[in-house]
Amino acid sequence: MNDITTLMSHDHRSCDESFARAETAISRGKWDEGTAELEKFIAELETHFTAEESILFPRFESVTGMTEGPTKVMRGEHADMRDAVERMRDAVARRDKDDYAGEAETLLILMQQHNMKEENVLYPMCDAQLAGENLPPTLTKQLGREQAA
């Protein structure tokens, strides 16, 4: 992986898989397993958000001078998703399958819409604006992946 779109889109798929494991366990009433899987998903999602918010977005903004554009929108959506995750945690703590399912559906829709915007708009913009630069090692390290040469 040597471009931002590829790296970050791959990370989206990894988060999606973690989300699905948590949702499956909880829907089957496997609360301990579901709680553990949910926490793994949340950690992975937060790692992804942090990589974007602390490394990728500031670099893009520095190069383009755009601070009120797509990165601002993405940060707002990250906040919305973090709120949904907390409501999911609450539902799990109460062992309320219905509330969890509703919140999981909300988060799934938010993630799908968000990922489409990043993968089809923001990441290609980052690739174009940051072309010729190697991905920051801190970005690939933050995501737990090594950049392919």
Side-chain angles (χ1 to χ4, degrees):
M1 287 183 241
N2 58 4
D3 65 12
I4 292 162
T5 300
T6 301
L7 176 69
M8 301 305 280
S9 296
H10 181 270
D11 204 54
H12 284 166
R13 300 298 83 75
S14 180
C15 287
D16 292 345
E17 291 166 7
S18 294
F19 176 82
R21 283 191 298 275
E23 192 171 28
T24 297
I26 290 168
S27 72
R28 293 180 178 163
K30 297 180 178 180
W31 292 104
D32 291 339
E33 178 185 337
T35 300
E37 291 296 337
L38 178 62
E39 291 305 319
K40 287 179 193 174
F41 161 70
I42 292 169
E44 191 172 346
L45 185 67
E46 195 56 44
T47 296
H48 180 85
F49 288 168
T50 300
E52 289 178 335
E53 293 170 354
S54 66
I55 301 166
L56 182 60
F57 294 175
R59 192 164 186 182
F60 175 80
E61 292 164 346
S62 175
V63 169
T64 65
M66 294 184 352
T67 59
E68 295 297 316
T71 54
K72 183 177 181 178
V73 172
M74 295 302 105
R75 284 185 179 100
E77 291 181 4
H78 289 175
D80 293 342
M81 288 186 274
R82 285 178 172 118
D83 290 345
V85 162
E86 287 309 312
R87 291 189 303 271
M88 290 167 60
R89 268 188 173 141
D90 180 62
V92 167
R94 292 182 287 108
R95 303 218 180 218
D96 187 325
K97 227 190 271 192
D98 291 335
D99 275 359
Y100 180 85
E103 293 300 340
E105 183 176 352
T106 297
L107 180 60
L108 179 61
I109 291 166
L110 289 172
M111 288 192 308
Q112 289 171 336
Q113 292 172 349
H114 177 83
N115 292 352
M116 290 286 291
K117 288 180 232 176
E118 285 187 333
E119 292 173 14
N120 293 309
V121 178
L122 181 57
Y123 296 159
M125 289 173 71
C126 289
D127 284 326
Q129 294 297 319
L130 304 174
E133 298 184 31
N134 286 327
L135 292 178
T138 51
L139 178 65
T140 54
K141 183 178 181 182
Q142 180 79 25
L143 296 173
R145 298 176 187 11
E146 294 298 320
Q147 180 180 356

